[in-house]
Amino acid sequence: MHTINKKALSIAVALACSFPLHAQQAATNNPTNTNESNTAQEQSTSLEIISVTATKRKTKLMETPVAITALTEAELRQNGVNSVKDIANLVPGLDISTATDQSAPVISMRGVRSTNITELGDPAVGVHLDGIYSPRMQGALALMYDIERVEALRGPQGTLFGRNSTVGSINVISAKPEFTHLYGNVNVEAGKYNSKNIDGVINIPINDEFAVRFSGKGLKRDSYLEGYYDPNQYDSRRLSDDILNAPVISEDSYQGIGQTVTQRENWWIDGAGTNPEAQKVRQLTPAEKDDFYNNADEYSFRISTLWEPLDGGFSNHTVFQKYVNNSNNNLDLVNCDKIRGRSEELGGDCTNFLPSDNTYQAVVNVPGKLNLDITYLRNTLNYDINDEYSLVWLLGYEDMERSSAQDSEVGLDPWDGATYFLDGTGAESFSTEVQLQSDEYGDFIWIVGANYFHEKTTTLGYYDNPMDDKAFWDQPDRSTDAFALFGQGTYNLTEKLHLTLGYRFSDETKEDKGGKTYRCSNADGCAVGWLNRTDLNNLPVDYYEDPSIYASYFANDNKGSWQHHDFRVGLDYDISPETMVYTYLASGFKAGGIGDVYEVVNDRTGDVTRFETKFDPEEVLTWELGAKSSFFDNSLNLKAAFFYTDYTDMQYASVGSIGNVERLSVVEDEDGSPVLDSNGEPVLDFQNKPVIAYYTQNVPSSTIKGIELEFDWKPYPSGRITGYVTWTDAKVTDDWNTKWDYDAEYLFDISYEESKNPENTLLSTNLKGNNLAMTPKFTANISYTHTFDLGEYGFIHSWLNASWKDESYSTVWNVDKHLDDMDFSVSDEATKYIDDSRDAFAVYNASIKYEPQGQSWYAEVFVNNASDETIQYWNNTSKGIPKGSFGMPRYYGVRAGFSF
């Protein structure tokens, strides 16, 4: 089936590439193609002309020599877009997933993405709001409403947009106030999962020079998960009495009774404290869907002003925006579809360790929490110095505060764990940019400018293993200072041939001042001790939120600086007023990072070893060849691009071992269960343990090449077809000798310590030839809209969208490519259930909308993901259980709105 799809898509690309020539010939040879018929055709089928700001000045979309997709608010609303992550299927080469531990989107474009979305990392695709860079990816989740358009630029934007736009940028442009008249609208949506969505706009012209615009949006939705609370897990401090006193199903563990591991075979529950009632095995308690992981409780509002004095020669646009998310956070889920039917001998399927065979379920003992509060302030001043020169001044300020709680092991392991970020965690950033621009009428059109960016992040939180180790992060001042000078100009070599040259100098410094990581364990007396579950659960829930109780800490002070020169050389040629071709060679740059510093103490000797986890910058060099053309009196727009990217030192972040140290730890038997002495206490001994860190390494070199074809066709007045087809090949091309970190415990049948040991030669591997993550070879998207004119009774607008993505890998490990060169202890059959391959999938959306003749109101029914496809975006497999973040299941509802 996949082979047939690939061949069909290949043929489609070939036909589409040849179609412009045939279409042009048909139009030329048609004897009835008179001026009168052209006028009539233009009035009925001509596509609207879209302006974009890809070159930091307004240009027509079809005349801009960049691969760019522009989405209007009508398209966003039609596709049910609530935030940036919802546009993934609407843009060629774009994929957006969610890293649940940081509540942040991970944006991949043309095979390039950033896996480090903590305060230590930067995105590979820059997100801009009204042209101003938004540094923290959590900010990209802010609700989208009252949007003029979204511009998704593909390819390096290093000269004009600068830092962290190595492979592209997304610019969300809000609607500006208008001086014309007082107007507004209100839109509501009600859907599955008790979803309620409302947004509205009011535009108020104060006079002919000053206008104000108010807009806002609110979204509430129950969880779409089958959720349970488990009183049998080690830490039960955050569970209610009703849950803790759930009906008893077994007097002790290892009776094979229950639905989860902690019910049926929990090695510690029988001796984990002095409270006999807490040692009994109890039922799971279903969670309330309005107060569980993966729900939605968000709102945002925006106040914008526009001041354009009639004789002042300038305009000033100011935006104040607020976004608040008070949901119950997101959670990694088990991919039950992938392991369905796996035998118990190989690890079983979801029915062996969860209540049901359903991917959308979770068992937790830590209620989820997310409090995300972001304030934005943006200002754009445009000043006409004279008829030849203008000045643009951009100012941006963003303040993000967040706190969260997330269950880490989601009931799949008796070793309990949770991650907490506390009040005080956040980021504050300031940016300013000054541009001097020429007018648009000479043979040389140019822009020069300077940009300064400062960000300070603070992190206050901890990871809690209730049985033993805890790490508390107190990072009060992690800062980034970035300065850049840039210029870009286009010179008309002839009337039709244009040369573009661009250059940017970047200087970036990252520093960690006063940061500390506190340590707490049973060995140092900070934690309550092995199997003292009763004592633990008598502690307040915030007991370990106080760093003063921790036994020791190590400093994280660190600093790094990088400079870079980026360039752009491009040519574009106007074959005719309707057709242009272009090519360019451009570079992009993402600064290196200082990483975390780790100082670990040898429990036996007291010696301290220091580990630093700095990483190098990543660079891209892209050559692109493209064409844009309009046919049939502007009723058909075609855009095509071929690109080739050399990707050096890709920053790849993951959890792994950076060394070893002797720790006083429990001795385990062959099954991984603690060895107990005659008194029922665990036997402790000094053992060589891995130092686990979240760190970034550099992938030597990768090559990415692809073809993108976009089309927008209005064959007749009441119908429109839009979409794209892509082909992408993205691979690691140099030797990348590293340690295997994809579920090594399960695949090699080794202990946790052995799986994390960086000196374990069994795990040495070379990932050369692997495909880059989340990059299908083929993708396709097509939408068809048809309007039925009912005369005096109004209009019915029908819409159908289909999006298809070829098979791909969710990580860079490509497990099935290493079945022969790695000494996996499990069979090929077992491996297929937990590898990182992602099957091809298709998603279908549809809607039917009614509007009266005056179009003052509308009513609509819609369905998203009609085929109820389960789509995994982020992979976190461990111990033979594939986990990750998933797209929303089938969602449907009604929308209505009115204008005034």
Side-chain angles (χ1 to χ4, degrees):
M1 181 65 181
H2 296 162
T3 303
I4 294 174
N5 285 333
K6 291 177 183 176
K7 290 180 178 177
L9 282 171
S10 301
I11 294 170
V13 170
L15 289 175
C17 290
S18 64
F19 180 71
L21 179 61
H22 296 309
Q24 197 170 37
Q25 291 173 344
T28 303
N29 297 330
N30 188 348
T32 63
N33 192 18
T34 62
N35 289 335
E36 290 78 14
S37 62
N38 282 341
T39 302
Q41 188 177 30
E42 181 178 351
Q43 290 175 347
S44 59
T45 63
S46 181
L47 297 170
E48 68 272 19
I49 296 175
I50 299 175
S51 295
V52 295
T53 55
T55 57
K56 294 207 170 183
R57 62 169 76 234
K58 275 198 172 183
T59 58
K60 295 178 181 179
L61 174 65
M62 296 300 292
E63 298 177 0
T64 305
V66 175
I68 177 173
T69 299
L71 303 170
T72 65
E73 183 175 35
E75 291 174 293
L76 298 174
R77 189 180 300 280
Q78 191 174 58
N79 284 274
V81 171
N82 285 311
S83 69
V84 164
K85 67 181 178 63
D86 298 326
I87 70 170
N89 290 335
L90 305 180
V91 178
L94 184 65
D95 201 295
I96 303 179
S97 56
T98 302
T100 61
D101 56 341
Q102 293 288 334
S103 306
V106 179
I107 304 177
S108 172
M109 187 179 282
R110 288 183 170 179
V112 179
R113 68 172 181 169
S114 174
T115 53
N116 189 341
I117 34 71
T118 70
E119 77 283 358
L120 292 169
D122 293 304
V125 180
V127 174
H128 297 76
L129 306 176
D130 293 319
I132 296 172
Y133 179 63
S134 180
R136 290 300 106 203
M137 294 311 296
Q138 289 87 354
L141 289 177
L143 294 170
M144 292 173 63
Y145 55 95
D146 194 27
I147 298 298
E148 181 178 320
R149 68 187 177 277
V150 174
E151 298 178 2
L153 286 71
R154 301 184 297 283
Q157 307 301 319
T159 54
L160 287 181
F161 288 92
R163 69 189 309 269
N164 307 329
S165 298
T166 51
V167 72
S169 68
I170 297 173
N171 192 7
V172 181
I173 302 170
S174 60
K176 292 183 178 65
E178 298 181 19
F179 305 119
T180 54
H181 62 287
L182 173 69
Y183 68 87
N185 63 64
V186 176
N187 304 279
V188 296
E189 176 183 307
K192 192 179 179 183
Y193 311 115
N194 197 29
S195 176
K196 297 177 284 290
N197 192 333
I198 183 170
D199 66 83
V201 176
I202 183 167
N203 184 86
I204 306 174
I206 305 301
N207 53 41
D208 292 340
E209 300 179 341
F210 190 81
V212 183
R213 192 177 184 97
F214 300 91
S215 56
K217 183 170 185 172
L219 170 64
K220 292 199 73 171
R221 187 195 65 241
D222 289 352
S223 172
Y224 49 82
L225 303 183
E226 181 186 318
Y228 300 90
Y229 290 112
D230 183 4
N232 307 290
Q233 296 185 36
Y234 199 87
D235 187 353
S236 60
R237 288 175 295 163
R238 292 165 178 80
L239 301 179
S240 68
D241 289 342
D242 289 342
I243 296 172
L244 296 176
N245 295 317
V248 174
I249 61 174
S250 177
E251 292 298 320
D252 52 28
S253 190
Y254 282 95
Q255 302 300 306
I257 299 173
Q259 300 164 307
T260 67
V261 174
T262 50
Q263 288 177 315
R264 290 202 300 264
E265 49 185 46
N266 195 336
W267 51 261
W268 52 256
I269 196 168
D270 294 338
T274 59
N275 180 3
E277 290 301 311
Q279 293 170 302
K280 297 178 180 180
V281 180
R282 298 180 181 274
Q283 284 183 3
L284 306 178
T285 300
E288 297 293 334
K289 289 189 176 295
D290 64 344
D291 191 32
F292 194 70
Y293 289 94
N294 290 52
N295 70 340
D297 186 359
E298 310 166 61
Y299 71 86
S300 180
F301 65 86
R302 184 188 307 128
I303 304 170
S304 60
T305 64
L306 183 62
W307 181 27
E308 289 186 355
L310 297 178
D311 56 357
F314 73 89
S315 69
N316 193 81
H317 180 217
T318 302
V319 177
F320 173 82
Q321 186 172 332
K322 188 81 168 178
Y323 168 66
V324 177
N325 186 332
N326 287 319
S327 69
N328 289 90
N329 214 336
N330 291 302
L331 201 65
D332 282 345
L333 308 174
V334 178
N335 191 339
C336 293
D337 289 1
K338 192 171 185 71
I339 59 174
R340 183 168 294 123
R342 184 173 66 173
S343 67
E344 290 191 37
E345 180 184 0
L346 299 179
D349 59 17
C350 283
T351 59
N352 290 89
F353 43 80
L354 287 171
S356 65
D357 188 22
N358 173 22
T359 293
Y360 295 101
Q361 66 177 317
V363 179
V364 302
N365 63 318
V366 175
K369 181 185 76 170
L370 175 62
N371 300 120
L372 182 61
D373 190 315
I374 309 178
T375 301
Y376 309 83
L377 184 61
R378 305 187 288 273
N379 193 84
T380 302
L381 172 68
N382 290 272
Y383 175 65
D384 294 328
I385 299 173
N386 53 39
D387 291 340
E388 296 181 355
Y389 306 109
S390 61
L391 184 74
V392 179
W393 184 18
L394 302 174
L395 279 173
Y397 171 79
E398 187 172 314
D399 183 24
M400 179 187 76
E401 300 175 359
R402 69 181 175 105
S403 60
S404 62
Q406 185 195 51
D407 195 296
S408 296
E409 91 300 331
V410 289
L412 301 174
D413 194 327
W415 292 88
D416 204 355
T419 303
Y420 305 92
F421 289 100
L422 310 179
D423 290 338
T425 298
E428 188 176 26
S429 64
F430 166 81
S431 65
T432 184
E433 180 170 299
V434 178
Q435 306 167 11
L436 182 64
Q437 299 184 6
S438 69
D439 62 35
E440 300 178 4
Y441 305 108
D443 284 335
F444 184 45
I445 301 172
W446 51 266
I447 174 175
V448 295
N451 178 282
Y452 173 72
F453 170 82
H454 171 77
E455 181 185 32
K456 175 185 175 182
T457 68
T458 57
T459 303
L460 201 66
Y462 64 108
Y463 174 78
D464 185 9
N465 169 2
M467 300 183 196
D468 192 8
D469 292 331
K470 300 151 205 331
F472 189 97
W473 314 296
D474 183 2
Q475 313 290 348
D477 187 1
R478 271 185 171 150
S479 63
T480 298
D481 285 280
F483 173 74
L485 295 171
F486 65 91
Q488 185 164 303
T490 299
Y491 181 70
N492 297 332
L493 297 173
T494 69
E495 185 179 352
K496 294 185 176 183
L497 181 62
H498 319 286
L499 170 68
T500 297
L501 298 174
Y503 168 78
R504 189 182 192 98
F505 168 75
S506 302
D507 186 298
E508 188 161 332
T509 298
K510 296 180 179 180
E511 186 172 10
D512 189 343
K513 294 187 292 188
K516 299 181 178 69
T517 298
Y518 292 84
R519 297 167 293 198
C520 176
S521 68
N522 296 325
D524 59 30
C526 171
V528 296
W530 284 99
L531 301 188
N532 289 336
R533 186 183 182 220
T534 301
D535 291 344
L536 170 72
N537 287 311
N538 285 332
L539 296 176
V541 294
D542 60 354
Y543 181 78
Y544 289 107
E545 296 179 7
D546 179 7
S548 67
I549 69 169
Y550 286 64
S552 61
Y553 71 86
F554 57 84
N556 277 323
D557 288 24
N558 205 353
K559 187 176 182 179
S561 295
W562 302 268
Q563 292 183 343
H564 203 263
H565 304 272
D566 284 306
F567 71 91
R568 186 180 195 92
V569 178
L571 284 170
D572 60 274
Y573 181 73
D574 299 323
I575 297 176
S576 70
E578 295 82 21
T579 301
M580 69 168 293
V581 293
Y582 69 89
T583 186
Y584 70 78
L585 182 69
S587 67
F589 156 77
K590 185 167 74 171
I594 54 178
D596 273 321
V597 174
Y598 295 86
E599 290 182 354
V600 295
V601 178
N602 187 307
D603 287 344
R604 183 176 60 82
T605 65
D607 294 338
V608 177
T609 304
R610 180 180 174 89
F611 298 90
E612 293 188 5
T613 58
K614 289 185 179 180
F615 49 95
D616 295 329
E618 67 178 27
E619 301 175 356
V620 299
L621 182 64
T622 295
W623 172 61
E624 184 169 313
L625 176 65
K628 298 183 179 184
S629 190
S630 298
F631 301 98
F632 306 130
D633 294 318
N634 198 36
S635 64
L636 171 65
N637 286 343
L638 287 178
K639 296 181 288 181
F642 167 80
F643 64 91
Y644 182 94
T645 297
D646 184 27
Y647 187 16
T648 306
D649 287 330
M650 178 180 75
Q651 296 168 2
Y652 173 74
S654 63
V655 176
S657 173
I658 56 176
N660 292 298
V661 66
E662 281 188 298
R663 299 295 306 274
L664 183 62
S665 307
V666 64
V667 178
E668 298 179 351
D669 60 21
E670 294 180 353
D671 297 325
S673 299
V675 175
L676 306 181
D677 61 21
S678 58
N679 296 320
E681 296 292 327
V683 176
L684 303 179
D685 196 6
F686 293 105
Q687 301 178 70
N688 201 37
K689 294 287 185 178
V691 179
I692 304 301
Y694 184 77
Y695 71 103
T696 297
Q697 56 182 308
N698 292 98
V699 180
S701 182
S702 303
T703 298
I704 309 167
K705 51 185 179 289
I707 297 172
E708 298 167 347
L709 174 68
E710 292 182 87
F711 51 89
D712 188 354
W713 185 28
K714 195 175 181 183
Y716 42 88
S718 58
R720 189 165 182 172
I721 304 171
T722 61
Y724 62 79
V725 177
T726 73
W727 169 81
T728 311
D729 182 68
K731 285 186 170 63
V732 178
T733 49
D734 280 1
D735 289 329
W736 180 19
N737 295 301
T738 187
K739 182 180 78 69
W740 186 272
D741 272 337
Y742 186 93
D743 204 357
E745 283 185 83
Y746 180 83
L747 289 174
F748 295 92
D749 192 22
I750 56 179
S751 69
Y752 174 76
E753 287 74 23
E754 291 174 303
S755 73
K756 296 302 180 184
N757 184 357
E759 299 175 0
N760 187 346
T761 58
L762 177 68
L763 305 179
S764 298
T765 188
N766 187 347
L767 299 186
K768 179 180 179 180
N770 278 18
N771 289 22
L772 298 185
M774 310 306 291
T775 311
K777 179 159 286 190
F778 293 98
T779 70
N781 183 287
I782 187 168
S783 291
Y784 175 65
T785 305
H786 188 88
T787 297
F788 298 91
D789 189 344
L790 307 180
E792 63 178 303
Y793 297 105
F795 306 91
I796 291 179
H797 308 283
S798 61
W799 171 72
L800 176 64
N801 170 261
S803 180
W804 177 83
K805 291 191 177 183
D806 197 7
E807 58 190 7
S808 61
Y809 292 97
S810 56
T811 77
V812 75
W813 295 99
N814 295 194
V815 177
D816 60 7
K817 290 185 177 181
H818 297 273
L819 296 176
D820 296 327
D821 57 40
M822 297 296 293
D823 191 18
F824 294 152
S825 297
V826 301
S827 65
D828 292 356
E829 179 189 1
T831 303
K832 72 178 183 181
Y833 287 106
I834 62 102
D835 67 20
D836 57 342
S837 63
R838 185 174 74 163
D839 292 337
F841 64 89
V843 176
Y844 304 97
N845 308 306
S847 68
I848 297 178
K849 180 168 70 174
Y850 171 77
E851 283 184 317
Q853 273 289 337
Q855 297 181 321
S856 59
W857 62 271
Y858 72 90
E860 180 179 20
V861 295
F862 68 91
V863 58
N864 294 334
N865 190 10
S867 58
D868 204 20
E869 192 78 22
T870 302
I871 308 167
Q872 183 169 359
Y873 290 108
W874 187 261
N875 192 293
N876 188 26
T877 297
S878 65
K879 295 186 178 181
I881 300 176
K883 296 187 297 181
S885 61
F886 291 80
M888 195 171 173
R890 182 189 296 118
Y891 173 68
Y892 50 82
V894 296
R895 300 187 186 110
F898 67 92
S899 304
F900 57 88

